[in-house]
Amino acid sequence: MPINFETKTNAQNYSEYIIIGAGPAGLQMGYYLEQSKRDYLILEADKEAGAFFKDFPRHRTLISINKYNTGSDDPEYNMRFDWNSLLSNNDELLFKNYSKRYFPDADNFVTYLKDFADHLKLKIAYNINVVKIEKKEEFLITDKKGKEFVCKYLIIATGVAKPYVPKIEGIELTENYASVSINPDDFSNQKVLIIGKGNSGFEMADGLMDTTAIIHVAGPKSIKMAWKTHYVGNLRAVNNNFLDTYQLKSLNAVLDVHIDKIEKKNDKFSVSYRFVRAEEAKKDVEYDRVITCTGFSFDDSMFSENCKPKLTINNRFPDQNNEWESTNIPNMYFAGVLMHMRDFKKSTSGFIHGFRYNIRALHRILEHKNHDSTWPCYVQKIVPNHLMNMVIDRVNKTSALWQQFGFLGDLITVCEEDQEARYYEEVPVDYIHNSEFGKCDSYFVLTLEYGPLHDQMDPFDVDVIRIKQSARENTNDSHYLHPVLRYYKDGEFVKEHHIVENLENEWFHEVHKEPLEQFFEEILEVNTIRINSIING
């Protein structure tokens, strides 16, 4: 529900929780605070939700997939292939109701976010442009017009909105991805340099290829393809048509270079290179246009010195502990893309289909920490067959563990005295080991993970990825996404079990179930007599 603040300048409005930013992360966090009936408010600088997506991506096609048909009617399973929907209890608020395109238009997503905010009546104050955040006992937030807001817990969901500019002499002379023209006619017959080998750089290159004379895409590191690393932030196939034009000698090129200097000479740009692959050989190349497409970083300009979060990863992210809390400002939390600091370039916290689950976990952490709520769980008798079935059921449908591979896990704590196991879903793995959970006498952690060599091999080389018959016995050889169960005793890792990979990602055959049940039996040391005695009470 939009909130209109007609308060006087410097009048204070108190909320227990304040979220800054009504993008997908702010809305998702607001949804969970609304569900738990907490006192919260979302502050948004724009007049409506999702303002970032009005401008980005520049060429207006999302690279987050929207698989309309999956062959399944299981909503949890279908979220594996829906990378745009936020989590809610309203089936109408699924993105598939807004577009059937596999790579949808960004404008559809803007409409979706607006509807999400409106239909769920989230408490949002629009046109509140925050310019200053201070902290004494609580947080004091001031907007551009002098309105003040106070909260006990502050959640920053502003994303990475400030263009990241590398330290290159003359970089200020270049145009930036955030503001450069995207009209191909403006680049007709020009020689263009694009700095940056990520998705934004190749999105720009693909968008300009029709009219330019030559495009060079440059950076010091080799291109990493998402299909090889399984990290969706690396170069995606939807943006890599440009690579064909390079490898098939059609004027364009990808340069592995250090850029030392950019100079403006007679309406042209002279760029000084050191080639990585040629023993630092140097060369100056002339261009008509130079565009910087090196991504975005966190903007900390609104924070006062006594409230400025520590930054990390080239100052692109706020530093966080395993509860997504600032490491130097207590009660300041981060949601959305900013959560990616904890699994940077490893999993999917930098993307909606990953951080929506992080935010659900953060809400559970806050509910436990601030309101004495317990993490939801299922209670089960310690019977290997029963535990095996619970694990098999989860790995065949879970979206959270599928998207947040290796980062979120299901936790099974074992209480031998009560002969009970407690099953907790979607807990951050590092949080498990460093929280009260990690103090349990013994517990299992279930994750989905790729094999250890996934980022070093060609996934299309059949001779490399062929699963030998012995892999049925040594399941640790699985390269593709597969379930992994690890056992811990007295806080120490003891043993792990890999469920062998499957082409259809279906882990309900005997080759998957039988070894898993044996693993539980071995760990829990349960014999047939004991099992029967437990079952019979």
Side-chain angles (χ1 to χ4, degrees):
M1 81 185 48
I3 297 177
N4 182 22
F5 283 97
E6 297 295 341
T7 56
K8 295 180 181 179
T9 298
N10 294 327
Q12 295 183 0
N13 303 282
Y14 180 83
S15 301
E16 185 175 21
Y17 292 88
I18 283 182
I19 303 166
I20 299 182
L27 298 182
Q28 186 69 86
M29 193 73 230
Y31 167 77
Y32 282 112
L33 291 175
E34 180 73 29
Q35 290 293 298
S36 57
K37 302 186 186 308
R38 299 301 169 198
D39 176 23
Y40 77 95
L41 179 65
I42 303 173
L43 305 182
E44 169 55 42
D46 200 76
K47 62 182 179 181
E48 58 188 13
F52 180 85
F53 292 92
K54 294 178 183 178
D55 299 316
F56 301 103
R58 296 297 312 282
H59 290 86
R60 310 310 293 147
T61 298
L62 299 177
I63 60 173
S64 47
I65 68 171
N66 178 49
K67 193 77 172 69
Y68 186 82
N69 295 308
T70 68
S72 172
D73 58 4
D74 186 303
E76 173 72 10
Y77 174 84
N78 287 340
M79 288 294 278
R80 292 181 174 184
F81 315 104
D82 175 351
W83 290 8
N84 299 285
S85 291
L86 299 181
L87 305 177
S88 80
N89 56 7
N90 188 336
D91 289 342
E92 293 182 3
L93 292 174
L94 293 173
F95 189 71
K96 69 178 184 179
N97 297 321
Y98 290 76
S99 175
K100 293 185 178 181
R101 290 181 56 190
Y102 193 79
F103 294 114
D105 190 285
D107 292 335
N108 295 129
F109 190 60
V110 174
T111 301
Y112 168 74
L113 293 178
K114 182 179 183 302
D115 286 353
F116 189 93
D118 293 345
H119 289 188
L120 295 171
K121 298 181 179 180
L122 302 182
K123 298 179 180 68
I124 305 173
Y126 293 105
N127 299 307
I128 303 295
N129 188 353
V130 175
V131 296
K132 189 176 183 180
I133 299 175
E134 305 169 88
K135 188 182 182 187
K136 296 180 181 178
E137 292 183 2
E138 296 181 317
F139 293 97
L140 174 64
I141 302 154
T142 307
D143 88 333
K144 196 172 184 178
K145 296 178 181 179
K147 293 188 181 71
E148 293 182 345
F149 303 84
V150 177
C151 67
K152 184 175 183 179
Y153 305 109
L154 180 63
I155 301 172
I156 307 298
T158 54
V160 284
K162 183 175 72 174
Y164 173 73
V165 181
K167 295 179 180 180
I168 298 172
E169 184 178 348
I171 193 72
E172 70 278 0
L173 301 173
T174 70
E175 300 173 272
N176 192 275
Y177 170 80
S179 55
V180 67
S181 170
I182 57 173
N183 182 354
D185 292 337
D186 292 344
F187 298 82
S188 181
N189 204 35
Q190 294 183 355
K191 185 174 182 179
V192 178
L193 169 65
I194 295 175
I195 301 174
K197 292 179 176 178
N199 281 298
S200 60
F202 281 93
E203 172 205 326
M204 189 63 64
D206 278 3
L208 302 182
M209 277 196 303
D210 288 345
T211 60
T212 52
I214 294 174
I215 298 177
H216 289 169
V217 177
K221 297 182 180 179
S222 298
I223 297 168
K224 290 188 176 182
M225 305 303 300
W227 65 52
K228 184 176 181 180
T229 64
H230 303 293
Y231 173 61
V232 297
N234 289 145
L235 183 57
R236 302 283 299 286
V238 68
N239 282 327
N240 72 15
N241 290 327
F242 181 86
L243 296 181
D244 263 6
T245 70
Y246 169 42
Q247 292 296 328
L248 299 178
K249 303 300 179 185
S250 300
L251 293 175
N252 298 325
V254 176
L255 308 181
D256 300 317
V257 295
H258 296 285
I259 301 174
D260 291 328
K261 183 189 294 186
I262 302 169
E263 296 179 281
K264 191 76 176 289
K265 296 180 179 179
N266 300 322
D267 295 326
K268 300 283 187 180
F269 294 89
S270 177
V271 181
S272 300
Y273 291 131
R274 282 179 292 123
F275 286 85
V276 174
R277 297 174 182 269
E279 297 181 349
E280 301 293 304
K282 297 181 179 181
K283 184 176 183 179
D284 292 343
V285 181
E286 188 176 83
Y287 297 95
D288 296 295
R289 307 278 285 269
V290 181
I291 306 170
T292 300
C293 299
T294 48
F296 295 85
S297 61
F298 176 60
D299 185 356
D300 67 347
S301 61
M302 69 178 76
F303 297 92
S304 298
E305 285 304 316
N306 76 334
C307 192
K308 195 177 287 289
K310 178 183 177 182
L311 301 182
T312 187
I313 311 177
N314 294 324
N315 292 330
R316 297 181 75 167
F317 290 88
D319 196 32
Q320 300 156 58
N321 63 22
N322 55 39
E323 296 179 346
W324 292 290
E325 183 181 21
S326 170
T327 55
N328 67 310
I329 308 295
N331 293 334
M332 180 187 291
Y333 296 87
F334 302 93
V337 174
L338 299 176
M339 292 172 146
H340 198 27
M341 172 260 156
R342 286 177 56 195
D343 64 341
F344 186 60
K345 293 190 176 182
K346 294 178 181 178
S347 196
T348 63
S349 294
F351 311 88
I352 292 168
H353 62 290
F355 69 61
R356 62 191 178 195
Y357 301 108
N358 288 357
I359 291 172
R360 180 157 65 190
L362 172 58
H363 177 253
R364 288 170 173 169
I365 289 171
L366 293 174
E367 285 292 298
H368 173 67
K369 189 175 181 180
N370 301 334
H371 308 290
D372 296 324
S373 296
T374 57
W375 198 292
C377 70
Y378 307 99
V379 179
Q380 175 66 269
K381 288 294 184 181
I382 303 178
V383 181
N385 179 263
H386 294 181
L387 295 176
M388 177 272 292
N389 284 326
M390 289 186 74
V391 168
I392 290 297
D393 181 64
R394 278 288 288 165
V395 299
N396 278 291
K397 68 179 183 181
T398 173
S399 175
L401 272 57
W402 172 276
Q403 307 290 17
Q404 287 290 66
F405 48 88
F407 184 72
L408 293 183
D410 283 0
L411 169 67
I412 307 171
T413 62
V414 177
C415 180
E416 295 183 2
E417 181 178 348
D418 297 331
Q419 287 300 307
E420 286 183 347
R422 296 183 180 272
Y423 197 110
Y424 303 84
E425 296 180 353
E426 303 163 17
V427 190
V429 173
D430 58 354
Y431 176 78
I432 290 173
H433 302 311
N434 294 282
S435 68
E436 294 175 4
F437 288 135
K439 298 176 183 178
C440 295
D441 291 338
S442 68
Y443 59 91
F444 297 87
V445 178
L446 172 68
T447 55
L448 289 175
E449 299 178 19
Y450 289 92
L453 300 178
H454 72 84
D455 61 347
Q456 303 172 17
M457 68 183 194
D458 181 353
F460 301 110
D461 187 341
V462 68
D463 292 325
V464 172
I465 66 171
R466 180 186 292 117
I467 298 178
K468 300 179 176 62
Q469 188 64 33
S470 61
R472 301 287 177 178
E473 301 171 2
N474 184 13
T475 54
N476 294 27
D477 289 341
S478 293
H479 295 303
Y480 193 58
L481 194 68
H482 64 282
V484 182
L485 190 66
R486 293 185 174 88
Y487 176 66
Y488 298 82
K489 179 73 173 177
D490 298 325
E492 299 293 328
F493 168 74
V494 177
K495 194 172 184 179
E496 68 185 41
H497 173 72
H498 292 246
I499 301 177
V500 68
E501 66 185 70
N502 178 271
L503 177 63
E504 292 82 16
N505 304 305
E506 296 176 347
W507 296 285
F508 49 70
H509 304 291
E510 283 306 310
V511 70
H512 307 122
K513 297 168 67 174
E514 185 177 343
L516 177 60
E517 185 171 355
Q518 291 174 355
F519 178 72
F520 276 120
E521 289 178 349
E522 177 184 345
I523 294 296
L524 299 174
E525 298 179 348
V526 179
N527 58 36
T528 304
I529 296 175
R530 187 178 174 192
I531 293 173
N532 290 333
S533 66
I534 294 172
I535 294 175
N536 296 326

